Amino acid sequence: MRTHLPSRKVVAVLTVALLAAGMAACGNSDTGDNGDDGKITLGFSQVGAESGWRTANTTSIKEAAADAGFDLKFDDAQQKQENQIKAIRNFIQQKVDVIAFSPVVESGWDTVLKEAKDAKIPVILTDRSVDSADKSLYKTFLGSDFVKEGRLAGEWLVEQKKAATGPVNIVELQGTTGSAPANDRKKGFAEAIAASPNLKVIASQSGDFTRAGGKQVMEQFLKANPKIDVLFAHNDDMGLGALEAITAAGKVPGKDITIITVDAVKDGMQALADGKFNFIAECSPLLGPQLMDLVKKVHNGEEVPPRIETQETTFTQEQAKEALPNRKY
Ligand code: AHR
């Protein structure tokens, strides 16, 4: 019996069609383009909305993603690591092109970062970093040098108190426990004051980077310590919360207690210009445009530097008065 084999012409057409389908499939997995509208899809997991800094950072990211024409999938983790891990897993499932996130704490990311790597989705760290030994788990880290911020705060204090003969009692409002900015600012500040034995941190506790936390912990500090000379708050919001506690305790912020903070958001700068804060080390939240540029580059397979540091400055009360009218956030 004669079998009906396909003609050479039919085989050739089928082969071309199969090859084309195969190439299209490879193209999808290589570039990560979801086969949708051709836009780059960026999955971004944000820490939360704990501070004025964070609000400004979220606005910067959303605006820059829209300007770049990206399809942004934004998730607010409400300061919880498990929510961020869940969001990253969702992004992987949705086959986004690039994942970016600001890790709420430094440790515990290796497993989920490995999952992203296995799925061939590049990851960019922004604002905060992770302590993973395997640097191949992410493409780059864009953000501030938090140790430097703490050091600048400490160096300013050392200079201010260089003539002091008696003990200078310092209380410290730390950021979120286990977060890079809390760990690093504490470290930088401690290093800067280490050679000044009369500068002593008498109490140090987390206020979770929030105004409410700053107020509550400062109330405890004031109750437990009759003589507080200096407050070092790891961000403006905790410093602003502490102002309420200090005033309620009958003390004058900026005079009875020297207040040093980090960030330089508008409300913090206003408190500095008004003489309620004494010094701020800046931490810029305007990371959106640089981040989108990096997203484009890693999506195109271009090399990017492993670390990109944000440019920042410091402010005294006089400098805050000058800068305030043009402050964008
Ligand atoms: O990671 C940056 C820090 O997070 C900011 O200093 C603080 O205000 C925010 O919550």
Side-chain angles (χ1 to χ4, degrees), residues 50-51 53-54 127-128 146 181 185 209 234-235 263 283:
E50 73 282 5
S51 62
W53 189 99
R54 191 63 57 196
D127 163 36
R128 300 182 183 179
F146 298 133
R185 286 171 188 164
F209 280 130
H234 287 189
N235 79 343
D263 277 355
C283 177

Side-chain angles (χ1 to χ4, degrees), residues 47 49-55 57 79 102-104 126-128 144 146 149 175-176 179-182 185 208-210 234-238 262-265 281 283-285:
V47 169
E50 73 282 5
S51 62
W53 189 99
R54 191 63 57 196
T55 307
N57 181 246
Q79 296 249 69
S102 172
V104 60
T126 174
D127 163 36
R128 300 182 183 179
S144 308
F146 298 133
E149 291 166 355
T176 302
S179 69
R185 286 171 188 164
D208 212 12
F209 280 130
T210 65
H234 287 189
N235 79 343
D236 287 339
D237 279 77
M238 291 191 294
V262 184
D263 277 355
V265 294
C283 177
S284 175

